[in-house]
Amino acid sequence: MSEIITCPSGLTGRIRGMKTREERFLADRKLAKAGTQLDPILAACWEETLDPGPYDFGDNPIDWSKVLVGDRFFTLLQIRVASYGPDYTFSVCCDNRSCRAKIDWELSLLDLPVVALSEESRAAYLAGNRFETRLPDAGRRVWFHLLSGNDERRMTQLRKGASERPLSTLLHARLDQIEGVDARDKLKFIEDLAISDVTFLLGVFDRADCGVETEIDIECPECLGSQSVELPLDKGFFLPTKTTVSGRV
Ligand SMILES: [Zn+2]
């Protein structure tokens, strides 16, 4: 079964569901470490480009390492839906310390909101993928870019040595230049940033980015407390078992 999808950037193409042979990409530990584990799946299941959107690959096939993370994730999600259907079930532990019940949650992946690349972002992306903003507390201008598959891979490598500093890793990967700060001092500058500036930046990134919203609200059936969780995506997402795909296996 193949179908036509349009990614948040406007990239449009024909995809198909996964075949048994693609299973090996999910089991390859080396690929997982490099953070490019899913690229072979994207390459195999993307059958044809109908509209390149903001990308220019000429006559070559899509280079997924250069595709925006929002488009990559959207496409993976659609491949998952084409392979196993839209229903996704996962379990999390209630964050209420006096409850801690196991919450089983089910949702349709097609219900996740999708944010399209804005006209403004598209223009800045086409003009060299350079975005500018000004940090209110530090009083400096900074320049950042929209993340691609390559950035994702680099961040995976950086995180290996700094798993307790995901914010620093993200900011280091996204900020290209800081007014009046030498490239060598970038990390130190980032670590000294006021949290108000970090919150501001994350908001700016959010407005510039396109993609699928993966933060969802769930309710505990035991204590009825609600919490917001990041959609858990593990190996089961692409290699479902009884617990991740209802009514299947
Ligand atoms: Zn609870």
Side-chain angles (χ1 to χ4, degrees):
M1 190 183 82
S2 77
E3 59 186 283
I4 292 168
I5 62 163
T6 298
C7 296
S9 75
L11 169 68
T12 302
R14 192 186 301 280
I15 59 155
R16 65 159 170 83
M18 284 173 25
K19 296 180 180 173
T20 314
R21 64 166 167 271
E22 269 110 48
E23 185 185 34
R24 69 197 152 104
F25 299 133
L26 299 167
D28 188 330
R29 290 181 62 97
K30 219 168 72 204
L31 279 173
K33 274 190 192 151
T36 51
Q37 182 178 30
L38 301 174
D39 282 28
I41 293 176
L42 286 167
C45 296
W46 183 270
E47 295 190 305
E48 186 190 0
T49 302
L50 300 170
D51 180 340
Y55 309 107
D56 182 11
F57 295 120
D59 293 330
N60 303 313
I62 290 192
D63 178 351
W64 286 98
S65 71
K66 297 201 171 87
V67 172
L68 295 176
V69 293
D71 281 350
R72 288 167 54 90
F73 183 68
F74 177 85
T75 304
L76 286 168
L77 206 63
Q78 299 301 321
I79 291 171
R80 199 285 186 180
V81 169
S83 308
Y84 308 107
D87 295 339
Y88 183 52
T89 311
F90 62 90
S91 303
V92 287
C93 186
C94 176
D95 68 355
N96 178 350
R97 256 188 274 169
S98 58
C99 172
R100 289 292 184 205
K102 183 181 162 217
I103 308 173
D104 292 315
W105 201 257
E106 181 173 342
L107 58 90
S108 166
L109 295 170
L110 297 175
D111 288 343
L112 296 171
V114 178
V115 179
L117 188 70
S118 68
E119 279 303 318
E120 208 182 340
S121 286
R122 184 187 164 102
Y125 177 74
L126 288 173
N129 194 8
R130 194 165 161 85
F131 293 69
E132 183 185 322
T133 189
R134 190 174 181 278
L135 299 174
D137 190 74
R140 288 170 198 262
R141 288 188 298 165
V142 296
W143 291 266
F144 68 94
H145 63 275
L146 301 182
L147 296 173
S148 67
N150 271 330
D151 294 305
E152 221 167 34
R153 197 188 62 233
R154 265 197 297 272
M155 283 197 293
T156 308
Q157 286 162 350
L158 283 171
R159 275 199 200 103
K160 268 187 251 164
S163 54
E164 74 284 9
R165 292 180 300 167
L167 264 180
S168 300
T169 307
L170 173 72
L171 295 175
H172 195 257
R174 284 206 86 158
L175 293 177
D176 298 316
Q177 197 186 336
I178 299 155
E179 188 179 28
V181 176
D182 194 273
R184 283 169 306 183
D185 302 325
K186 192 167 91 171
L187 192 57
K188 183 176 181 322
F189 179 86
I190 287 168
E191 304 223 303
D192 283 338
L193 269 182
I195 283 297
S196 60
D197 272 347
V198 176
T199 312
F200 171 83
L201 263 181
L202 295 179
V204 173
F205 292 167
D206 221 37
R207 285 189 293 280
D209 285 335
C210 64
V212 182
E213 297 280 354
T214 50
E215 200 175 285
I216 52 174
D217 292 323
I218 64 173
E219 189 186 70
C220 174
E222 295 291 324
C223 70
L224 302 181
S226 58
Q227 57 174 300
S228 153
V229 295
E230 189 65 26
L231 188 69
L233 300 177
D234 45 24
K235 198 173 152 191
F237 189 73
F238 279 104
L239 215 55
T241 60
K242 272 191 216 118
T243 55
T244 50
V245 174
S246 56
R248 295 253 178 175
V249 178

